[in-house]
Structures are given as C-alpha cells and as structure tokens.
Amino acid sequence: MATDSLSSVQRAMDVLRTLGSGPLRVQSVAEALGKEKTQVSRTLKVLAEGGFVERDPETLEYRLGWQLFALAGAASDSRLLQQAAPVVRGLMRTTGEAAYLTVLSGNAAVTVLAERPGRALQANEWIGRLSPLNCTASGRALLHGRPSDELDLILTAQPERLPGTERAPRTAEEVRERLRAEQSAGYSAAVEESEPGLVAVAAPIRDFRGTTVAALNVSAPVFRLPPDDLARAAAAVVDAASRLSHALGAP
C-alpha cells in the first residue's frame, strides 16, 4: 500500500510538471510521461477534484488549477523574505550604500528589509515606514507591470496633489508618463524627489506569475551617488532584483 501511494504521488507530480508547459489532453499527457492513459486519467480526475488542475469543457484540455497557484502565492511571501536577505546584504556591499526591500501596502510602499553600511550619514528610512509611491524610486518600481485598471485604482486613491519636491511627478498622469519611461529602462530613479539631497534607484521583483511583488532599491545622499553614477547603481540593483526574481520562479 505504501509503495502504491508513493507511486500515485510521484505520478501526480509528474502530471503537474507536464502541464506546466501548457494545457494538454489526457492522451498527450500520457504520451509525454510514457504512462497508460487510464492511469493518467485517474490521476487528473483526483487532481481536478482538489482544484489542482482544471479541464476545459470545449477543448477537453487540462491546465494547472487555481488551488495550485493559491498555494504557490501563499508560499511566495515567506520565500521572498528568506531569499531576499542575502541579496539585499550583497547589494549593500556591492554599492556601498543602504539597500532596502519594499512591498506595496495599500497605496504606499513599506520597507520590510534593510541593510546599511557602517556610515554615520544614512538615508532617513527604516523598516515599517510607509513611503509615497509617486516620488520614491521604490514606490514607482512597485507599480511596474501592473495592469492599467489596477494602476488606475491605486492612483485614483492618492491625494489630488501628490507629495514630493518640484522634481517629482505630482499628478496621476505625470506618474503614468514617468512609469512608461522607467518600465522601458527596467528601473526607477528618484533624484531629490522625496526630499532634497536624497537619491535612490529601484527595480521590481517578480514572482512565478511575472507579477511585481516587491522592489529592491539603494538610496544615498546625492553627493555620494551623483546623477553620473546612477547608471552604475542601477545596473547593480537590476542585477540583484533579477536574481531574486529568478529565485522566486519568475519567467
């Protein structure tokens, strides 16, 4: 009985991995696995009852179900923090500046991890602090790739006149315009936008669905990270964010 149960579990995992490449009919799954069609059909039926796969009534193809994605999504939050700690630390060492991990909290960005070098003069930011989305690099990076309807909801919930200096986008349309350029570049940069003398660069972190779930950023006084050095800092941030995204299963 134990051997049969293990075989069934192994077959279920093989089926799920096979469907990871796209929807397939029972026969195609069986051929890909080199298994009997009846065995595969029974496995798919059990998986469908649990919500781990779904069958299209028209094409008769099976695809991965929402239950599987729900479990993966629940696991991604804890995995994000576990995987992010050494990446944030490494980014701080590479750039020599404070590095942070932020996530979206309502209509603001909140810092959940921070690594700072042993310097007396630091960016004035700490874990748990809420930051505006429009005038911070991390805030705008958190908006990268979001569907237009979701972006509209976030922006319309903001105050009519957004915070920041005269360098920052201060209206919803200005934020959209800045985002279009920054998404093409792959990162967001804020030079003295949230407060004078502070500069920051941030890149989005994506999960297995390709959804932006966090942002990685470095910030420093502008005299230590002048505009001419932003490209170097941006390259380090984008590389670190890419590695962290890959660890979360991003495409």
Side-chain angles (χ1 to χ4, degrees), residues 3 5 18 22 32 55 57 67 69 71 76 81 89-90 95 99 101 104 108 124 129 146 168 232:
T3 302
S5 297
T18 301
R55 189 189 191 200
Q67 180 64 24
F69 290 112
L71 289 174
S76 66
L81 292 177
R89 191 175 305 116
T95 61
L101 179 76
L104 191 65
N124 184 28
R129 177 183 175 181
R146 296 194 179 274
R232 174 184 57 83

Side-chain angles (χ1 to χ4, degrees), residues 15-26:
V15 167
L16 291 173
R17 291 191 190 99
T18 301
L19 290 179
S21 62
L24 294 170
R25 289 194 175 195
V26 177

